[in-house]
Amino acid sequence: MLEKTGMKQSSKYLIALTGVISSGKSICAKFIEENSYKVIYYDEINRELLKQKQIIEEIVQKLGDEIIEGSKINKKLLAKTIFSDKTKRNILTDIMHPKIIKEAYKIIKETDTDRPIFLEIPLLFQTLRLHESLNIRFNEIWAISSNKENRIERLMKRDNISKNEAILRIESNFSDDYIKRNSDIYIINDKTIEELKKSIIYELNRLEKRYSYFVQRHKEAD
């Protein structure tokens, strides 16, 4: 957010889409994409990077080989390791996030669009300063939320984990209150998918007005 982070605007209008774990970020991102906006998915970038031999070796060197299955990283074992050990979680963040952000920056540079670009970023607030240092400055931050019980249920079903594991993962992130206070747009996903889509459409319509003003300011500055 410009007012809260002191970030400067660039020629492209960038929106970070984030939120607490299992809040429905990916559903929102896909729906935004269906409405003709470019969306960059950090989880997809991460999955591709984790296939690279050099990165696998770096992670194993720092976290140990118990996360390896064959020649690949077992993502379930990796998740179990990092969510039960904050130090290891921070080590993985330090390894992966600069690489993910640099890839995202390349995609932004290569994207030819006359509309805002969304970036779906699970760990946005942990990496805001890193984003800025790597030349990604957000014009807006959108956050998706949902009540804790809904998130626990979704997470257990999605990742086939116990309730205790789900709670551990939820509590490893910033609090919902912190995310709400530091976001421009805050969307609650506690009803039906259709209600969620209505909320997204409402915010996209409001966004177009802000973006038109942004474009006009840039034209006047040129």
Side-chain angles (χ1 to χ4, degrees):
M1 299 183 302
L2 294 174
E3 294 79 12
K4 295 183 182 180
T5 63
M7 295 178 181
K8 298 178 181 178
Q9 292 187 6
S10 64
S11 60
K12 290 182 178 176
Y13 199 94
L14 305 180
I15 301 174
L17 178 64
T18 192
V20 289
I21 190 169
S22 285
S23 57
K25 294 184 296 295
S26 296
I27 293 172
C28 292
K30 292 295 182 186
F31 185 63
I32 289 168
E33 194 171 38
E34 288 170 10
N35 280 272
S36 302
Y37 291 87
K38 173 69 175 179
V39 178
I40 299 170
Y41 297 91
Y42 274 36
D43 279 348
E44 290 184 3
I45 296 174
N46 184 61
R47 278 194 291 271
E48 291 304 310
L49 289 173
L50 285 176
K51 295 176 183 177
Q52 296 181 17
K53 184 179 179 181
Q54 184 177 350
I55 293 175
I56 292 172
E57 290 174 350
E58 184 178 0
I59 293 172
V60 170
Q61 183 181 10
K62 299 285 180 65
L63 299 184
D65 59 7
E66 62 269 17
I67 59 173
I68 288 293
E69 195 171 74
S71 60
K72 298 179 181 179
I73 288 178
N74 183 310
K75 292 172 187 172
K76 286 187 177 181
L77 291 176
L78 178 61
K80 190 171 183 179
T81 297
I82 63 172
F83 283 115
S84 61
D85 188 325
K86 185 177 180 180
T87 299
K88 289 186 177 181
R89 186 162 67 248
N90 290 338
I91 289 171
L92 184 66
T93 297
D94 290 343
I95 293 171
M96 295 304 300
H97 274 84
K99 296 175 175 62
I100 294 169
I101 294 168
K102 287 175 184 177
E103 288 299 315
Y105 182 74
K106 289 178 187 176
I107 297 170
I108 292 167
K109 294 282 284 184
E110 293 167 358
T111 299
D112 183 15
T113 182
D114 59 357
R115 306 189 84 183
I117 298 172
F118 284 81
L119 296 87
E120 189 204 3
I121 309 172
L123 300 179
L124 173 69
F125 293 104
Q126 291 90 330
T127 58
L128 265 178
R129 289 186 179 180
L130 181 59
H131 276 87
E132 185 174 8
S133 72
L134 295 173
N135 299 312
I136 295 182
R137 298 171 173 86
F138 299 108
N139 298 86
E140 296 183 16
I141 294 174
W142 290 27
I144 313 300
S145 184
S146 183
N147 73 62
K148 190 172 182 179
E149 288 305 313
N150 282 344
R151 287 185 279 134
I152 290 171
E153 186 177 338
R154 290 176 194 146
L155 195 52
M156 289 171 63
K157 185 177 180 180
R158 187 191 74 187
D159 292 355
N160 191 28
I161 58 176
S162 70
K163 185 173 182 177
N164 285 340
E165 286 178 298
I167 292 170
L168 187 64
R169 293 188 186 189
I170 287 170
E171 293 179 347
S172 71
N173 208 334
F174 278 99
S175 70
D176 192 39
D177 181 63
Y178 178 91
I179 292 172
K180 182 178 182 179
R181 284 188 284 108
N182 288 278
S183 300
D184 297 293
I185 304 298
Y186 184 77
I187 298 169
I188 298 175
N189 175 27
D190 279 337
K191 297 182 181 179
T192 65
I193 296 296
E194 290 309 312
E195 288 297 319
L196 178 61
K197 288 181 177 180
K198 286 179 184 177
S199 297
I200 295 293
I201 289 295
Y202 173 76
E203 294 299 346
L204 290 177
N205 288 336
R206 294 177 65 212
L207 168 63
E208 285 304 315
K209 295 177 183 177
R210 295 192 298 274
Y211 182 62
S212 294
Y213 177 67
F214 169 84
V215 171
Q216 185 60 39
R217 283 179 61 188
H218 270 265
K219 285 181 179 178
E220 291 171 357
D222 288 342

